[in-house]
Amino acid sequence: MPQEEIQKMKVIFMGTPDFAVGTLEALIEAGHEVACVVTKTDRPVGRKQILTPSPVKICALEHGIPVLQPARVKGNSEFYEELKKIAPDVIVVAAYGKIISKEILTLPRYGCLNVHASLLPKYRGAAPIQWAVINGEEKSGVTIMQMNEGLDTGDILAVREVPLDPEETGGSLFDRLSKEGAGLLTETLPRLERGEIRPVPQPEKSPTAYARMIRKEDGRIDWTKDAVSLERLVRGMNPWPSAFTSMEGRNLKIWSAAADPSVSEETPGTVLSADEGGIAVQTGGGVLMVRELQLEGKKRMKAADFLRGHSIGRGAVLGI
């Protein structure tokens, strides 16, 4: 059979955030028949709580693809019957955000494939990208996994490593892995259909803690921690929810910083100096040089620009 024929599959795509959009677009560009897109229900956004569709829904509608938004998946027989009528060859899942029932996992001929943003079995869970940066990993990547009923525990079909840049942020790694995942998925589908892939079972235990969902409070800076850890936190929390502390009772976001091994006996959180080079803050181990920041109600700006309009003297304490 010619290769161009076996590369085309009938696909149901399940995804929600920006990360999944690249994979959906790659499937469309590769010529697969995306028969349906499943995404989360529209959510209220902003101060006015305006109901807003997910990025995946917006992409699907732009391409004229039918969209399903079930409030629940498990135990939803009506939803299952809708998928069954489509008779997909494969279901592709990328950051959908809901647990998928066993009957759906086994519905397609080739099962359900997940595009996961880590080198499984490391960083199983909802937020592998941010935690990889925060924990100082030297490399990350994407895994195409045959889904089972466990949490990211299915057999591995394909892996692609991505080295982390020293200045890597959660946002930049998000963009890179979204692109790599889309490419790896479209390369994997024809190989799967030709029977060229030998699934690799994962070990029962992961070498890393479960990569739980990031909460806003995770960005709060604990100045008793060392400067290297805090610099990674700043990068991992960029752009959301951002690393933050407080100054004179106002929220202060820190967008960019550098770790300095300098030693002082000041209390963690104490400002050691503030000049054109940045704002030096004592930590529990070394000094964090704040280079870019944003005071509550103000614009994001370089430390030098910030200091032209705000006075921060030596001895000021952040985080109180």
Side-chain angles (χ1 to χ4, degrees):
M1 183 181 295
Q3 182 171 336
E4 58 269 18
E5 292 182 18
I6 65 172
Q7 288 180 337
K8 314 308 176 188
M9 292 187 181
K10 181 184 282 190
V11 180
I12 291 175
F13 183 81
M14 306 176 79
T16 299
D18 286 324
F19 177 83
V21 171
T23 300
L24 175 56
E25 290 180 333
L27 285 168
I28 296 168
E29 291 172 7
H32 295 288
E33 179 191 349
V34 182
C36 173
V37 161
V38 181
T39 190
K40 283 189 174 182
T41 54
D42 297 0
R43 298 297 176 89
V45 174
R47 292 182 180 179
K48 295 184 178 180
Q49 294 290 279
I50 298 173
L51 277 179
T52 304
S54 72
V56 162
K57 179 178 179 179
I58 292 172
C59 179
L61 294 178
E62 288 175 348
H63 289 279
I65 300 171
V67 176
L68 296 177
Q69 296 178 274
R72 61 186 178 88
V73 173
K74 295 194 72 172
N76 189 337
S77 58
E78 183 179 344
F79 173 62
Y80 172 74
E81 289 302 323
E82 286 189 75
L83 300 188
K84 189 175 180 181
K85 288 177 184 176
I86 295 171
D89 295 313
V90 66
I91 294 177
V92 173
V93 182
Y96 173 45
K98 287 182 178 289
I99 295 175
I100 299 171
S101 61
K102 182 179 180 180
E103 60 183 359
I104 293 176
L105 292 175
T106 57
L107 174 62
R109 187 186 354 167
Y110 296 104
C112 291
L113 306 189
N114 178 241
V115 183
H116 187 76
S118 81
L119 300 175
L120 290 173
K122 299 182 73 172
Y123 295 102
R124 295 169 177 161
I129 295 174
Q130 293 97 324
W131 290 117
V133 176
I134 292 167
N135 292 340
E137 296 287 351
E138 294 183 355
K139 63 183 179 181
S140 182
V142 287
T143 302
I144 307 301
M145 175 191 67
Q146 187 84 56
M147 295 178 69
N148 60 16
E149 292 183 88
L151 294 173
D152 301 324
T153 57
D155 291 354
I156 294 171
L157 305 183
V159 177
R160 180 167 293 164
E161 290 187 359
V162 174
L164 268 64
D165 186 90
E167 301 295 322
E168 199 80 63
T169 66
S172 65
L173 186 57
F174 182 101
D175 291 342
R176 294 173 67 199
L177 295 188
S178 176
K179 182 178 180 180
E180 294 293 341
L184 186 59
L185 185 276
T186 53
E187 291 174 16
T188 301
L189 288 180
R191 294 186 59 225
L192 183 66
E193 190 168 8
R194 291 194 296 266
E196 297 174 356
I197 292 179
R198 179 176 297 176
V200 178
Q202 292 190 55
E204 182 178 347
K205 293 185 178 181
S206 170
T208 59
Y210 182 75
R212 63 168 176 79
M213 188 175 294
I214 294 290
R215 300 184 291 259
K216 186 174 182 179
E217 187 62 22
D218 292 324
R220 184 180 298 278
I221 292 175
D222 177 357
W223 292 106
T224 64
K225 293 186 177 181
D226 65 274
V228 171
S229 296
L230 293 181
E231 187 273 338
R232 296 199 306 250
L233 179 72
V234 168
R235 289 189 287 110
M237 293 291 170
N238 183 348
W240 191 90
S242 79
F244 66 94
T245 185
S246 59
M247 184 181 76
E248 299 176 350
R250 299 172 70 183
N251 188 66
L252 182 69
K253 292 182 178 181
I254 296 179
W255 292 106
S256 177
D260 187 321
S262 299
V263 177
S264 89
E265 297 182 358
E266 295 287 351
T267 302
T270 302
V271 174
L272 305 178
S273 64
D275 52 36
E276 293 289 314
I279 301 169
V281 185
Q282 179 62 43
T283 73
V287 172
L288 189 71
M289 183 65 72
V290 178
R291 292 176 172 170
E292 191 175 4
L293 65 166
Q294 182 178 9
L295 188 61
E296 183 179 346
K298 301 294 182 179
K299 294 180 179 180
R300 175 175 171 174
M301 60 185 72
K302 300 290 185 183
D305 296 328
F306 178 84
L307 292 170
R308 293 188 182 98
H310 301 82
S311 177
I312 303 180
R314 176 181 172 84
V317 180
L318 303 182
I320 60 173

